[in-house]
Amino acid sequence: WEYACRAGSTTAYFFANDPAQLCDYAWYRKNSERKTHPVRKKKPNAWGLHGMHGNVWEWCADRYGYYPYKPVTDPTAPGRVKGSGRVTRGGSWSSRAREIRSAQRSDLEPFNREANTGFRPVRSVSD
């Protein structure tokens, strides 16, 4: 998820480090009116993906755990994993600016249902 969100960037948000620009790219606590919004109403990242910051937390297949102290690439079950919590990424309409950074992770147990959590369908395009 983070790789897709960043789209080659190394900044806190895929567009810059400055959260002052967030209203152009994300629905979050400051501008959401405490509700979800249709996709494609905000600017996309460099790869054309919309809604990577804010609107709804996105469920990921990864188990939640602490990252190891050494560099890793695409860890699916980092470090010690406790419980059945799954990673959620991206933040939501109720999140503060710091909670929707590209690297931000949270967790949620699979049996929980939240009004600010969803998932991103993905499909392969064949020739």
Side-chain angles (χ1 to χ4, degrees):
W1 186 96
E2 186 174 340
Y3 179 79
C5 178
R6 287 187 178 283
S9 71
T10 58
T11 52
Y13 308 96
F14 65 71
F15 54 87
N17 284 315
D18 184 4
Q21 299 177 47
L22 270 175
C23 287
D24 292 336
Y25 297 91
W27 296 109
Y28 69 115
R29 183 179 286 189
K30 184 176 180 179
N31 66 348
S32 70
E33 298 176 347
R34 301 192 55 77
K35 63 182 180 181
T36 59
H37 294 269
V39 177
R40 299 186 72 165
K41 298 294 182 184
K42 298 292 184 179
K43 294 179 183 179
N45 70 10
W47 293 350
L49 298 173
H50 292 264
M52 298 304 290
H53 295 300
N55 210 15
V56 296
W57 286 98
E58 294 184 25
W59 283 97
C60 296
D62 298 353
R63 299 274 308 273
Y64 188 84
Y66 295 107
Y67 284 139
Y69 292 106
K70 61 183 179 178
V72 293
T73 300
D74 196 22
T76 56
R80 281 186 312 192
V81 176
K82 293 183 180 181
S84 59
R86 295 293 189 257
V87 171
T88 55
R89 306 291 296 250
S92 77
W93 52 262
S94 64
S95 299
R96 295 181 291 264
R98 70 174 181 252
E99 296 169 327
I100 63 174
R101 296 173 300 108
S102 298
Q104 180 68 35
R105 299 179 313 134
S106 190
D107 69 313
L108 194 63
E109 294 293 329
F111 55 82
N112 285 340
R113 301 293 181 260
E114 303 287 341
N116 63 353
T117 304
F119 67 97
R120 181 177 296 263
V122 178
R123 81 179 166 134
S124 298
V125 178
S126 60
D127 293 320

